[in-house]
Amino acid sequence: MIREIKAEKIKDTVKRLLLQANYEIGTDVLRELGLSLKREESATGKSVLQQIIDNHRIARQDRIAMCQDTGMVVLFVSLGQEAIITGGDFTEAVNQGVKEAYTEGYLRKSVVEDPLFGRKNTGDNTPAVIHLELVPGDRIKIQVMAKGFGSENMSRGKMLLPSAGVQGVTDFVIETVQKAGPNPCPPLVIGVGIGGTLDMAARLAKISLLREIGCPNGDIHYAALEKELKERVNELGIGPAGLGGRITALAVNVEYYPTHIAGLPVVVNINCHAARHAAAEI
Amino acid sequence: MDKTKRIQTPLTVQQAVGLKVGDNVLISGVIYTARDAAHRRLAELLKEGKPLPIELEDQVLYYVGPAPAPPGHACGAAGPTTSTRMDIYTPPLIEKGLRGMIGKGLRSQAVIEAMKKHGAVYFAATGGAAALISKSIKKVEVVAYEDLGTEAIHRMYVEDFPCIVVIDSYGNNLYESGPQRYRTCKTL
Ligand code: SF4
């Protein structure tokens, strides 16, 4: 049986999710910020964490953006292979949803139409970056993310040699966070993609940022790696806002995929405490 | 916690040299906004020896591109952007009398040297605390480069704008000393 999904409905969903993501921080982030406030030893670090918690509360109450960099929109769409989209073009519907959210929701427009020549602002924060995946079923799952560039700019990838192993991956993650210092607005959510190809590792790193904080990877080896990486990152002492302290990472999430016998791709995608994402199924 | 210092702009050299790294500061008065594009234009004017659209003497620049103001708000979300991108344009501005900068993130050695030489201060506002910060901004008006939209130079009237002295006029840097105090692993 084929199920019909109207393009209009997709547009409305994207718009609603983006407003929600920009105004309301996830309860998982808030919970982790609260725990961090208890654990932080630095007085400056504590006051920064308190400001962040207050900030997210104000944004939710007043329905204003929690951060002025309302990001570039990234979508992960899982389309059921028994669903059919009618009444319009899918990509246009998504971008119309972005446009309406950013213009009607008083969100900043931060996208330029050409990365190299002219860099003219598109004026409505379109286009979104869309990742589409076909899955069984007749529904469509849409996950949106508003990705700020203070943290995106501090992200890095590397094609390691297979012999580099766990040590190589760990060193690369630590080095990336150390280099980033205060720039990506710590405390951070750190996404790590390992395996696949260059592009797949980057995609996995981004997907891992959508995972609920406090939920480890389902595989025990990767769950242990996540724990180890979080401890190591917090030993750097960068602290809230980079001013020194115990809490640099709220979470380190790792995702992996099979890879080639000759390779070990790894990408570290950094997200700030304004870790904005939301999801819905139609 | 250190006690909070209240300061009023314009920021004189005497006030600036009295501020120490780690001080919590609440700023009131007029500050100006400028990001990458505005800095590029200011730098070009200076190079050509032309007058600037704002007087920099004893002023404070805030590196920000605010979100649009919703009805009933003086300003939309307005947290700091990464200062590093402004570094190449900054030393000549400090020479022209720029006294304070508000942003987030590291500064180049050239900027720090200029700050030491001329007595300027670098404040950090909490990155991503944009909704909270916007509450301390009471009025905003465009003063130059309206065509740049959010990147235009705005005059902001602020009351008790919260920030921390991260690099003082002596070159003491909390981005170095803070993390050092809490680092428990050896550096890479
Ligand atoms: S890194 Fe995140 S919190 Fe910081 S300014 Fe950018 S979007 Fe906002």
Side-chain angles (χ1 to χ4, degrees), chain A residues 67-69 148-151 183-185 272-274 276, chain B residues 80 104 127-128:
Chain A
C67 184
Q68 80 290 338
D69 181 359
F149 258 58
S151 50
N183 291 5
C185 295
C272 45
H273 62 80
R276 292 152 291 183
Chain B
K104 65 163 172 115

Side-chain angles (χ1 to χ4, degrees), chain B residues 2-187:
Chain B
D2 314 312
K3 82 176 201 326
T4 302
K5 292 186 179 169
R6 283 204 148 74
I7 55 174
Q8 184 77 36
T9 61
L11 186 62
T12 61
V13 145
Q14 289 81 353
Q15 276 179 299
V17 299
L19 292 169
K20 298 281 150 53
V21 74
D23 283 351
N24 285 299
V25 172
L26 295 171
I27 299 178
S28 297
V30 167
I31 60 176
Y32 291 93
T33 74
R35 287 177 51 108
D36 319 39
H39 271 80
R40 203 172 311 126
R41 292 193 188 176
L42 293 177
E44 269 163 31
L45 288 176
L46 280 180
K47 214 183 324 171
E48 293 163 7
K50 292 188 181 147
L52 300 180
I54 53 168
E55 184 55 60
L56 284 179
E57 185 74 33
D58 289 348
Q59 296 304 324
V60 175
L61 279 185
Y62 181 21
Y63 305 141
V64 62
H73 292 252
C75 184
T81 192
T82 306
S83 311
T84 319
R85 295 194 316 271
M86 268 45 85
D87 281 355
I88 49 165
Y89 308 113
T90 298
L93 302 182
I94 294 176
E95 255 163 60
K96 277 270 165 199
L98 174 67
R99 194 67 57 209
M101 296 153 281
I102 310 172
K104 65 163 172 115
L106 308 169
R107 304 310 306 257
S108 69
Q109 203 49 46
V111 171
I112 296 174
E113 289 309 321
M115 288 169 58
K116 281 158 70 175
K117 187 161 166 211
H118 299 278
V121 182
Y122 174 46
F123 305 94
T126 299
L132 177 112
I133 290 169
S134 75
K135 296 230 156 199
S136 64
I137 301 167
K138 302 302 174 191
K139 195 172 137 197
V140 184
E141 53 201 29
V142 175
V143 288
Y145 310 144
E146 193 158 9
D147 60 302
L148 294 178
T150 185
E151 293 212 49
I153 297 183
H154 299 82
R155 184 184 290 121
M156 282 183 169
Y157 297 83
V158 299
E159 264 173 47
D160 291 344
F161 181 108
C163 48
I164 297 174
V165 177
V166 268
I167 306 178
D168 63 21
S169 58
Y170 308 94
N172 300 308
N173 186 348
L174 189 60
Y175 283 135
E176 283 172 4
S177 59
Q180 251 159 34
R181 193 176 318 154
Y182 292 94
R183 181 171 297 147
T184 51
C185 61
K186 50 185 190 330
T187 4

Side-chain angles (χ1 to χ4, degrees), chain A residues 1 64 96 116-117 124 158 170 199 212 225-226 239 245 256:
Chain A
M1 266 300 278
I64 57 172
Q96 185 61 27
L116 218 42
F117 301 107
D124 55 13
K158 194 172 184 183
T170 306
D199 51 315
E212 189 179 322
L225 179 64
E226 289 177 347
Y256 67 100

Side-chain angles (χ1 to χ4, degrees), chain A residues 130-162:
Chain A
I130 304 173
H131 298 278
L132 186 61
E133 176 189 42
L134 218 51
V135 296
D138 62 0
R139 305 183 72 85
I140 179 169
K141 183 176 179 194
I142 300 176
Q143 294 177 279
V144 306
M145 199 176 191
K147 188 66 179 71
F149 258 58
S151 50
E152 193 72 0
N153 279 341
M154 296 295 116
S155 304
R156 294 201 308 160
K158 194 172 184 183
M159 304 304 277
L160 295 174
L161 296 175

Side-chain angles (χ1 to χ4, degrees), chain A residues 191-212:
Chain A
V192 184
I194 306 171
T197 44
L198 177 81
D199 51 315
M200 187 59 171
R203 185 177 157 133
L204 290 170
K206 187 138 264 117
I207 287 175
S208 77
L209 295 176
L210 297 170
R211 199 197 307 155
E212 189 179 322

Side-chain angles (χ1 to χ4, degrees), chain A residues 3-17 75 77-80 82-85 90 93-94 137-143 279-282:
Chain A
R3 178 168 167 265
E4 248 186 74
I5 297 171
K6 291 254 181 296
E8 175 88 11
K9 180 93 181 160
I10 292 172
K11 181 210 79 177
D12 290 342
T13 305
V14 168
K15 177 182 176 184
R16 175 175 63 80
L17 291 176
L75 263 92
V77 180
S78 308
L79 178 65
E82 287 154 54
I84 175 169
I85 294 159
F90 169 75
V94 166
D138 62 0
R139 305 183 72 85
I140 179 169
K141 183 176 179 194
I142 300 176
Q143 294 177 279
E281 206 173 62
I282 311 175

